[in-house]
Amino acid sequence: MDVRGRNHVTVSGRAGGPVVMLAHGFGCDQNMWRLVLPRLERDFTVVLFDHVGAGRSDLSAWSRARYSTLDGYTDDVLEICRELALGPVTFVGHSVSASMGVLAAAREPEAFTSLVLLTPSPCFIDDPATGYRGGFSAEDIDELLGSLDANYLGWSGAMAPVIMGNPERPELGEELANSFCRTDPDIARVFARVTFLSDHRADLAGVTVPTLVAQCSHDAIAPPEVGEFVRSQIRGSRLITLNATGHCPQLAAPEETAAAIADFVPAAP
């Protein structure tokens, strides 16, 4: 299967406009961006895709060997860019996909006009030796992964509302839980380890394209110290704090999220 089919790539919006590529996080698919699309499609060519193993991607293309690190996902991002040949893109990476964008832009900066890192976390685990705060102790992550291994559906129902936040809007947590539950548990277990055990702090300094770091005002998964750390490590990057809460502002506050992206995308030459 070709790249477009493998990752269920879709292209919409204004033909010839600056290109915005939206990458979803763990347990999600491109449908998670649907509420920001109306704003972005007015001015930009928008590229959506599903990571292999998610959504309507080709599940037969998934292998533990390729996707046991972020390198396999990063290869996919760059292959999609080359296949579409739309020119350099603004890559918007949510959560773990922010690290994919960092790796891709460091490897092939000419493929990107800019990066938008939405609720990023280059390392979820605290590092007391350096003073880095990722939000979780190593024991927390071991417990989280153990719970996921033991009962993935139960883990999904319990964790989705925590990740989503916004307890006054339980339908958001339910949507995320349903998205988790549509993911093959065996694939989810591997991707969870890639997401929560990876440490890409050292890769941030390799980014040379303009970068926006967008964090939420309260996020149980990525505390504010993480956003400030990312900003400090990417030369010339800018940090904004959205009024949105939770880890998925594209669902909780789509208008604010879309506006932040649109305001940062470089104008067409």
Side-chain angles (χ1 to χ4, degrees):
M1 182 174 286
D2 65 13
V3 173
R4 293 173 186 251
R6 182 192 68 195
N7 288 93
H8 186 54
V9 178
T10 62
V11 181
S12 62
R14 183 165 73 84
V19 183
V20 176
M21 185 178 189
L22 305 175
H24 65 82
F26 168 81
C28 303
D29 58 31
Q30 63 183 261
N31 188 56
M32 302 297 278
W33 295 106
R34 69 187 185 280
L35 299 180
V36 306
L37 282 183
R39 169 66 182 86
L40 297 181
E41 288 176 333
R42 294 204 308 263
D43 300 314
F44 310 115
T45 298
V46 181
V47 177
L48 290 167
F49 69 100
D50 294 331
H51 292 306
V52 171
R56 295 172 64 187
S57 68
D58 177 13
L59 297 185
S60 70
W62 187 88
S63 72
R64 184 182 296 269
R66 181 176 175 90
Y67 296 106
S68 61
T69 72
L70 289 188
D71 289 334
Y73 296 99
T74 301
D75 290 342
D76 289 354
V77 167
L78 294 170
E79 287 176 19
I80 293 168
C81 290
R82 288 192 287 268
E83 170 67 20
L84 296 182
L86 292 172
V89 308
T90 291
F91 180 89
V92 182
H94 173 233
S95 192
V96 67
S97 283
S99 291
M100 298 174 199
V102 165
L103 295 173
R107 191 187 306 174
E108 295 187 19
E110 66 278 5
F112 302 93
T113 55
S114 60
L115 297 180
V116 177
L117 309 181
L118 186 63
T119 63
S121 181
C123 179
F124 284 93
I125 299 176
D126 299 337
D127 182 0
T130 64
Y132 172 81
R133 179 170 182 247
F136 297 86
S137 68
E139 292 76 17
D140 290 334
I141 295 298
D142 285 345
E143 183 178 344
L144 181 152
L145 294 174
S147 175
L148 186 152
D149 288 343
N151 182 357
Y152 178 64
L153 296 182
W155 178 90
S156 299
M159 281 300 298
V162 175
I163 294 169
M164 181 60 69
N166 296 275
E168 74 284 359
R169 299 164 66 189
E171 69 277 6
L172 296 178
E174 290 170 9
E175 176 172 344
L176 187 60
N178 290 336
S179 179
F180 285 172
C181 292
R182 288 193 297 271
T183 304
D184 180 283
D186 290 332
I187 293 175
R189 290 183 181 101
V190 175
F191 196 16
R193 280 166 170 76
V194 174
T195 297
F196 292 108
L197 296 177
S198 293
D199 183 352
H200 291 284
R201 288 176 291 170
D203 297 298
L204 297 171
V207 175
T208 58
V209 301
T211 300
L212 176 68
V213 181
Q215 64 183 6
C216 290
S217 59
H218 178 75
D219 183 346
I221 303 301
E225 293 92 335
V226 174
E228 176 55 35
F229 177 84
V230 174
R231 184 211 60 77
S232 73
Q233 298 299 302
I234 299 179
R235 182 176 299 178
S237 63
R238 182 159 64 92
L239 172 66
I240 63 170
T241 299
L242 304 173
N243 291 323
T245 60
H247 194 60
C248 301
Q250 68 270 54
L251 283 181
E255 297 85 1
E256 183 185 21
T257 303
I261 296 168
D263 289 346
F264 189 72
V265 177

